Amino acid sequence: MNITERATDKSWPRRHPRTIVCYTLSMSMHDDFSVVVKNRADPPRPWRWEIYRAGRRSPIAHSKEFFATVSEANRAGNTALRRMLSEYP
């Protein structure tokens, strides 16, 4: 299923309603990794990023700190993913 089909398929992905998925599409050699932002705490700073690898149910990394907004957490998660992938070319 490609990205366009996913966008039109209402049943995909089936996730908890407090989960916001931010896929990383620009990693050509590492497209089996994704950054997911999840609401894991109470306000005012409930958001945390998690990095997943295809085929795994649990994250391979996550933020130790929590963020006030989804975009803040997503930016930090993408930075962490780029840093992690640069260590393993």
Side-chain angles (χ1 to χ4, degrees):
M1 181 181 282
N2 65 33
I3 299 296
T4 307
E5 290 169 337
R6 289 177 188 166
T8 58
D9 183 6
K10 301 287 187 225
S11 66
W12 192 93
R14 294 183 188 188
R15 299 192 189 280
H16 190 276
R18 289 173 35 153
T19 301
I20 294 182
V21 179
C22 304
Y23 289 99
T24 325
L25 300 174
S26 61
M27 298 291 182
S28 59
M29 296 286 292
H30 305 284
D31 53 349
D32 57 339
F33 293 94
S34 61
V35 174
V36 178
V37 176
K38 293 193 175 183
N39 186 335
R40 295 286 196 192
D42 294 325
R45 300 177 64 82
W47 302 102
R48 168 171 105 167
W49 58 260
E50 298 175 353
I51 297 175
Y52 287 84
R53 185 172 186 154
R56 291 183 54 116
R57 289 180 181 239
S58 58
I60 60 170
H62 63 80
S63 60
K64 293 186 181 1
E65 66 179 295
F66 290 87
F67 299 89
T69 65
V70 172
S71 60
E72 200 179 321
N74 187 41
R75 243 188 330 269
N78 282 315
T79 301
L81 177 60
R82 278 192 301 276
R83 190 176 318 118
M84 182 183 77
L85 294 178
S86 70
E87 294 172 8
Y88 304 100

